[in-house]
């Protein structure tokens, strides 16, 4: 075989092996932002089969750009411990906060999730949920360029015992459950309340509090969880996102072991 054939064959074979062996997973995480990546890493480390779907080319969500494209982010002291589990370096300020390089944070979270065993499918968007007997049971996936170009191409389906909405501000997956499946989720109205304006302290607290199971098989993390329950936005402080991912991993692990 000439080199060109061998290289193409290696990519095609290894990719389709990866895809085929992940058509039924324990946990499908939608969105590779900080909360989704922490949840994915903790669940994979606990021995669950985890696939992460990220519509963009680069996983990492809202981490890369820091605040207003200044590539530094801030976390609280207690959340920095989660970053240290990923070998990410932080700089304590002595006032309860720590700064870190946003590129190191994004790259470190991605690498940590992968090394723990989570499989990341980038440029893949989740366009719908699977809904069997009143349980969210998987995700409907397609190439994001297919969606962006509005091509009329059917998706494929991955079954999952737990689906995590880690899509950030739009909480796209919970929207599918509420609008298409017509379910009442575990929120004050049974639907999506929508994000309130900026209040960092409250938003950070509620992001973690609002992280929970919303419906059988359906969970939300990070900004998606907070948006669903009508929490305040918090901007470029990331401790709540990290703690949300860790909390959700614990909840899902308990549910799946039951
Ligand atoms: O928004 P995002 O970073 O999620 P997060 O974990 O963290 C929020 C913070 O970054 C920031 C914040 C902190 O102050 O407010 O916003 O809640 O990442 C969400 C990821 O989900 C992807 C999207 O491209 C982004 O990388 N995503 C969104 N919809 C889909 C999706 C979809 N339908 N399928 C696949 N990926």
């Amino acid at each position: 075989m000439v080199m060109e054939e061998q290289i193409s064959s290696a990519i095609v074979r290894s990719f389709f092996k990866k895809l085929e062996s992940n058509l039924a997973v324990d946990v499908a995480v939608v969105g590779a932002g900080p909360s989704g990546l922490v949840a994915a890493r903790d669940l994979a480390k606990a021995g669950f089969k985890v696939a992460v779907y990220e519509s963009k080319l680069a996983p990492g969500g809202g981490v890369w750009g820091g605040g207003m494209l200044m590539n530094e982010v801030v976390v609280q002291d207690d959340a920095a411990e989660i970053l240290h589990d990923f070998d990410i370096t932080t700089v304590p300020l002595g006032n309860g906060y720590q700064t870190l390089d946003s590129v190191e944070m994004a790259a470190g979270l991605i690498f940590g999730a992968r090394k723990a065993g989570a499989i990341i499918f980038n440029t893949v968007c989740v366009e719908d949920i699977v809904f069997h007997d009143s349980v969210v049971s998987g995700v409907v996936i397609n190439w994001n360029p297919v969606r962006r170009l509005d091509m009329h191409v059917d998706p494929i389906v991955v079954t999952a015992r737990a689906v995590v909405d880690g899509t950030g501000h739009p909480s796209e997956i919970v929207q599918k459950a509420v609008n298409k499946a017509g379910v009442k989720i575990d929120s004050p109205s049974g639907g999506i309340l929508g994000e309130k304006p900026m209040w960092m302290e409250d938003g950070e607290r509620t992001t973690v509090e609002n992280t929970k199971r919303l419906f059988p098989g359906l969970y939300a993390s990070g900004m998606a969880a907070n948006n669903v329950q009508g929490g305040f936005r918090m901007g470029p402080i990331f401790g709540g996102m990290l703690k949300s991912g860790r909390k959700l991993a614990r909840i899902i692990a308990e549910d799946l072991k039951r």
Side-chain angles (χ1 to χ4, degrees):
M1 240 199 271
V2 294
M3 186 175 172
E4 285 81 354
E5 264 179 70
Q6 291 186 60
I7 301 306
S8 301
S9 160
I11 290 170
V12 171
R13 280 168 194 270
S14 60
F15 178 76
F16 282 104
K17 195 171 155 207
K18 183 159 68 179
L19 183 63
E20 190 171 15
S21 57
N22 285 284
L23 292 177
V25 296
D26 291 321
V27 188
V29 178
V30 188
S35 65
L37 288 169
V38 171
R41 181 250 186 202
D42 284 3
L43 284 160
K45 214 162 187 272
F48 295 101
K49 189 169 180 178
V50 182
V52 181
Y53 302 94
E54 169 52 54
S55 56
K56 299 211 172 99
L57 185 57
V63 174
W64 295 101
M68 203 182 153
L69 285 183
M70 291 174 271
N71 66 355
E72 286 285 316
V73 292
V74 183
V75 295
Q76 300 85 339
D77 284 344
D78 58 344
E81 292 162 17
I82 300 174
L83 295 169
H84 300 158
D85 287 348
F86 284 76
D87 273 336
I88 295 169
T89 305
T90 58
V91 181
L93 301 177
N95 58 359
Y97 300 106
Q98 311 201 9
T99 54
L100 70 151
D101 181 285
S102 67
V103 175
E104 178 174 344
M105 176 164 160
L109 293 177
I110 297 163
F111 190 67
R114 263 304 294 131
K115 283 297 169 193
I119 304 292
I120 302 177
F121 292 99
N122 57 338
T123 67
V124 173
C125 71
V126 171
E127 56 172 57
D128 208 344
I129 52 172
V130 183
F131 197 64
H132 283 178
D133 301 320
S134 293
V135 177
V136 175
S137 314
V139 289
V140 177
I141 61 170
N142 213 329
W143 297 114
N144 198 35
V146 166
R147 178 169 73 163
R148 295 282 294 273
L149 293 170
D150 206 15
M151 287 190 226
H152 191 166
V153 178
D154 265 322
I156 61 168
V157 179
V158 175
T159 58
R161 297 166 67 206
V163 173
V164 176
D165 186 335
T167 64
H169 297 260
S171 49
E172 276 184 45
I173 306 310
V174 181
Q175 279 198 41
K176 299 290 178 201
V178 171
N179 297 337
K180 290 188 75 179
V183 306
K184 283 215 175 307
I185 55 167
D186 182 5
S187 75
S189 66
I192 298 173
L193 277 81
E195 184 190 281
K196 294 203 184 90
M198 178 73 82
W199 181 5
M200 280 195 188
E201 198 160 359
D202 203 70
E204 279 293 276
R205 179 180 58 78
T206 60
T207 296
V208 185
E209 275 176 23
N210 290 335
T211 297
K212 57 179 168 177
R213 190 181 79 142
L214 295 170
F215 189 79
L218 179 65
Y219 304 76
S221 69
M223 209 54 232
N226 210 34
N227 177 60
V228 164
Q229 309 290 345
F232 284 89
R233 76 181 292 196
M234 75 298 296
I237 170 98
F238 282 79
M241 300 301 144
L242 303 171
K243 288 202 261 180
S244 163
R246 180 143 286 179
K247 177 182 172 187
L248 193 62
R250 271 200 306 271
I251 294 171
I252 293 175
E254 274 167 28
D255 285 356
L256 294 189
K257 277 182 200 148
R258 228 173 261 150

